[in-house]
Amino acid sequence: MTIKRSSQATSIKQILKRCSSRGKKKNVNGCYDNQEDDSFPQDVPKGHFPVYVGPNRSRYIVPISWLEYSEFQTLLRLAEEEFGFDHNMGLIIPCDEMFFRSLISMFR
């Protein structure tokens, strides 16, 4: 059980690092600067990140704390498998919007 929990924590940290580095420019040393990029959404509060859900790509602002839920982690794994995280389109969750709403209602 400890091994599974440890690997989940590592996965969460990697996902969080990918999400938090979005919108920041790398300097010549390969590190991220604190300067904000114009393409990064300015309406996203600290501790949150945007996701796009469903065929219409409806935008949701979700708290980083949801990364601890195994159900949300599963959605992120599906997103990585289907779309990957290395693109400029934002984090796209590959599920029906009604399913997503139902799922996040359990987190609140």
Side-chain angles (χ1 to χ4, degrees):
M1 187 65 128
T2 306
I3 294 172
K4 185 177 181 182
R5 190 164 191 89
S6 175
S7 66
Q8 284 180 343
T10 303
S11 279
I12 291 171
K13 287 178 184 177
Q14 289 172 345
I15 291 167
L16 182 58
K17 185 175 181 181
R18 288 179 192 145
C19 292
S20 65
S21 66
R22 277 190 29 93
K24 296 181 182 176
K25 295 180 181 178
K26 283 187 180 180
N27 63 23
V28 291
N29 298 323
C31 298
Y32 289 101
D33 289 333
N34 288 331
Q35 300 170 354
E36 293 191 36
D37 186 70
D38 290 337
S39 65
F40 192 72
Q42 299 297 313
D43 62 337
V44 178
K46 186 174 182 175
H48 293 72
F49 61 99
V51 297
Y52 300 89
V53 180
N56 295 329
R57 303 288 193 256
S58 298
R59 185 173 187 244
Y60 291 83
I61 307 297
V62 299
I64 289 175
S65 63
W66 287 2
L67 292 171
E68 69 186 41
Y69 295 107
S70 61
E71 298 87 354
F72 198 78
Q73 291 173 28
T74 300
L75 287 178
L76 292 178
R77 279 190 217 100
L78 291 172
E80 183 176 29
E81 289 172 9
E82 189 163 331
F83 303 110
F85 290 133
D86 192 25
H87 55 77
N88 294 331
M89 296 176 58
L91 185 58
I92 302 167
I93 304 292
C95 73
D96 181 68
E97 191 173 355
M98 291 302 290
F99 172 80
F100 185 78
R101 286 183 184 187
S102 173
L103 181 69
I104 64 174
S105 71
M106 296 187 310
F107 300 159
R108 295 181 178 163

